[in-house]
Amino acid sequence: MSISQSLFDFIEQKISPFAARLSSQRHVMAVRDGFISAMPFMIVGSFLLVFVHPPFSPESSWGFARSWLELSAKYEVQILTPFNMTMGIMSIYIAAAIAYNLARSYKLDPFMTAMLSLMSFLLVAAPQIDEKMSTAALGGVGIFTAILVAIYVTELTRLLKKYNIGIRLPEQVPSNIKHSFDLLIPIIAVVITLFPLSLLVQSGFDMLLPQAIMALFEPLISAADSLPAVLLAVLICHLLWFAGIHGSAIVSGMLQAFWLTNLGLNQTDLAAGLPMTHIMTEAFWNFLIVIGGSGATIGLVLLFCRSKSAHLRTMGKLSLVPSCFNINEPVIFGTPIVMNPVFFIPFLLAPMVNAVIAYCAVSTDLLPHMISLVPWTSPAPIGAAWAMGWDFKVSILVIMLMLLSMVIYYPFFKVYEKQLLTQEKAAEAEAVFTEKAEATQ
C-alpha cells in the first residue's frame, strides 16, 4: 500500500469519524451558533470604529482627509457610542446567545435561560462601584467568561429540571407565570455559587472574574496567535475538508473566541493610541489565507475557466462568481477535490503559503493589523482592506496571493486536466461508435 493511500485511509477511518462527532457535539454547536447570532452587532460596531480612526495621516493636507479627521475628533464620543453598545459589550450578546442555543438543544426555555445567562454574566463581570457599572470586562476581555457562564448556567438549569427541583404551582396558574417562577431556583443557585466565587477572586487577586480567566487563557491566546498555531489550524481545517467534512465550520467554531478576543484587544489598543500586536482574526483567515474559500481555490477556479476539459471549464464558469464571495463548495465537490489525490498537496499548500506570507507582512508592520469584523462573504480585496481600516495596500497582497495560488495549483491542474481529456475523448469516441452502430441497424 502506498504512503498516500495509507494517509487517505487514516483520514477517512480515524479523522473523519472524530471530526463528525465533534462538529455535532451540542456545546460546540451552541458556541458556534452563539457567535453567529451575535455577529451582526459586532460587524456594525466594528464598521463605526473606522469613522473615528480614518485611514489618513494626521498631517494630511488633502481637503477630504482634513474634513474627516476634524469631524471624527469633534464628534468622537457620539460616533463611538454605537460602537460601545455593540462591539464594546460584545460578551453580553455572546453570553445570551450561547445559552439560548444550548438551552434549545436541551428543549429548555431558551429565552428564560438566555436571560439567566445574561444576569449571571453581569453579576461577575460588571459589579457596580460608586453607583457606576464598569464595562471594562464586557468586551473582548469577557469572551471566555461569557462562554463558561453560558454553559454553566444552562447545565445547572437542566440538572435542576431533571431532578424536579423547583417551585410547583397549581395547574390553574397561567403558563407564562409558571415559566417565570421556574427560573427562581436557578437564579438563587447562580447567586450562591457564582457570586461568592467572583467576590473571592476580587478580594484575593484584586481583579474581576473575567480578568482572572483572561489571565489564565493568556498563554493559550498568545500561542494561538503564533505562526505555528496558524499553520496547524490551516492544516487541520483542510485535512477535514479533504475528507469531505466542513473543516471551516469546525475550526472556526473552535477558534472564534480567540479571533474575537484578538480583534477586541486590537480595537482597545487602537482607541488608546497603543500599538496593536494581535494578528490572527477572522478577517485575517477569510481574506488572506483562504482566499476564495477553503484551499484558496480562487486561483484554481481561474485556471478552470480556460481549461481544455469541458468538465473543468464548466466548473470554472459555475464556480467563478461564488468564489469571488468566498463560497467554494461547488468547486470542492464538483471537481471533485474531496478525496482526490491529485489535488491533495496544493489544497493544503496554497493556504499555508498564504498564511506564512500574510503573517510575515503584518508582523513586520508592512501591513496594519485587523481592526474590523467584516462579513465573510465580502470579496477578498475589499474585505481585507475593510478589516484593516480601509488600507488598500493589502488589496495588492491579496491579488498577489491569488496569482501565487494559480502557480501552486497549475502543475496539478494540468495533470488532472490530462486525465479528464483522455476520459472525455474516450467517451466521445464511444458515443460516435454507438451512434454509427445504431445507424447501421
Side-chain angles (χ1 to χ4, degrees):
M1 183 181 293
S2 64
I3 296 177
S4 60
Q5 186 60 47
S6 299
L7 178 61
F8 297 155
D9 290 343
F10 175 76
I11 294 173
E12 187 173 16
Q13 296 172 13
K14 302 295 183 181
I15 295 180
S16 296
F18 172 76
R21 290 194 299 271
L22 180 63
S23 63
S24 60
Q25 206 278 330
R26 70 171 74 242
H27 297 88
V28 173
M29 292 178 64
V31 172
R32 182 197 65 199
D33 295 341
F35 280 118
I36 292 173
S37 301
M39 203 65 69
F41 298 97
M42 294 182 279
I43 290 175
V44 173
S46 297
F47 182 76
L48 291 170
L49 185 65
V50 179
F51 282 92
V52 180
H53 301 279
F56 306 114
S57 169
E59 291 78 27
S60 175
S61 58
W62 183 28
F64 176 75
R66 292 304 321 159
S67 298
W68 190 343
L69 288 166
E70 291 169 4
L71 188 69
S72 64
K74 183 177 181 180
Y75 296 103
E76 179 178 357
V77 174
Q78 290 84 350
I79 297 173
L80 277 180
T81 297
F83 168 79
N84 292 331
M85 294 301 104
T86 52
M87 196 73 189
I89 57 172
M90 61 179 168
S91 294
I92 287 180
Y93 304 109
I94 292 170
I98 293 174
Y100 182 95
N101 286 281
L102 185 56
R104 191 168 58 176
S105 74
Y106 280 128
K107 294 183 171 52
L108 301 173
D109 186 330
F111 178 76
M112 299 303 287
T113 309
M115 292 300 98
L116 177 59
S117 177
L118 178 58
M119 183 279 292
S120 305
F121 177 69
L122 290 175
L123 185 69
V124 301
Q128 283 191 346
I129 301 175
D130 297 330
E131 298 184 357
K132 295 180 181 179
M133 189 172 72
S134 172
T135 60
L138 301 183
V141 174
I143 287 178
F144 291 102
T145 304
I147 295 172
L148 296 174
V149 166
I151 293 174
Y152 171 73
V153 164
T154 308
E155 292 294 341
L156 180 62
T157 304
R158 180 183 68 85
L159 288 174
L160 292 173
K161 182 178 180 180
K162 179 180 178 181
Y163 293 105
N164 293 318
I165 302 174
I167 298 176
R168 294 178 178 82
L169 297 177
E171 292 295 330
Q172 294 80 7
V173 177
S175 60
N176 59 335
I177 297 179
K178 276 187 176 182
H179 288 319
S180 297
F181 274 82
D182 285 343
L183 210 59
L184 282 177
I185 299 301
I187 290 175
I188 294 172
V190 165
V191 170
I192 64 177
T193 55
L194 282 184
F195 191 51
L197 175 62
S198 177
L199 293 177
L200 180 63
V201 171
Q202 290 180 54
S203 62
F205 301 96
D206 194 26
M207 60 176 66
L208 297 177
L209 186 60
Q211 296 166 339
I213 292 176
M214 187 68 174
L216 292 175
F217 276 97
E218 186 62 39
L220 191 57
I221 294 171
S222 299
D225 202 31
S226 65
L227 181 57
V230 173
L231 293 177
L232 180 61
V234 173
L235 177 63
I236 293 173
C237 173
H238 290 82
L239 284 175
L240 293 176
W241 260 121
F242 194 77
I245 297 172
H246 202 303
S248 298
I250 296 174
V251 172
S252 63
M254 296 171 62
L255 295 179
Q256 192 68 251
F258 295 96
W259 292 348
L260 281 175
T261 300
N262 287 340
L263 181 63
L265 293 174
N266 278 349
Q267 291 177 342
T268 301
D269 291 339
L270 176 65
L274 300 174
M276 293 173 284
T277 57
H278 298 279
I279 296 175
M280 190 57 172
T281 64
E282 185 176 8
F284 185 88
W285 177 278
N286 288 333
F287 306 125
L288 292 176
I289 296 179
V290 291
I291 304 171
S294 295
T297 52
I298 185 68
L300 183 63
V301 170
L302 293 172
L303 291 173
F304 281 0
C305 289
R306 301 298 300 273
S307 176
K308 298 176 183 177
S309 164
H311 171 70
L312 296 184
R313 192 166 58 252
T314 301
M315 283 307 308
K317 293 177 181 178
L318 290 174
S319 304
L320 183 58
V321 173
S323 291
C324 290
F325 297 94
N326 300 318
I327 300 170
N328 70 338
E329 280 82 357
V331 69
I332 284 181
F333 295 105
T335 303
I337 293 177
V338 171
M339 295 306 290
N340 186 339
V342 174
F343 289 114
F344 177 72
I345 292 177
F347 188 68
L348 268 63
L349 184 60
M352 294 184 81
V353 170
N354 288 353
V356 172
I357 294 174
Y359 192 96
C360 292
V362 177
S363 62
T364 56
D365 293 327
L366 291 176
L367 292 174
H369 289 69
M370 302 286 185
I371 59 170
S372 292
L373 188 63
V374 182
W376 65 271
T377 51
S378 303
I382 297 174
W386 180 353
M388 289 184 171
W390 296 109
D391 190 321
F392 281 95
K393 293 196 302 291
V394 70
S395 300
I396 300 174
L397 176 63
V398 171
I399 294 172
M400 291 174 58
L401 294 177
M402 290 168 58
L403 295 175
L404 181 59
S405 71
M406 290 180 67
V407 174
I408 292 172
Y409 272 107
Y410 183 77
F412 303 92
F413 154 72
K414 295 303 290 184
V415 169
Y416 193 58
E417 181 186 54
K418 184 177 180 180
Q419 293 178 3
L420 290 186
L421 285 173
T422 302
Q423 296 173 11
E424 289 172 5
K425 288 179 181 178
E428 184 180 346
E430 183 178 353
V432 171
F433 176 79
T434 303
E435 184 179 347
K436 289 183 178 179
E438 291 176 350
T440 56
Q441 290 180 354

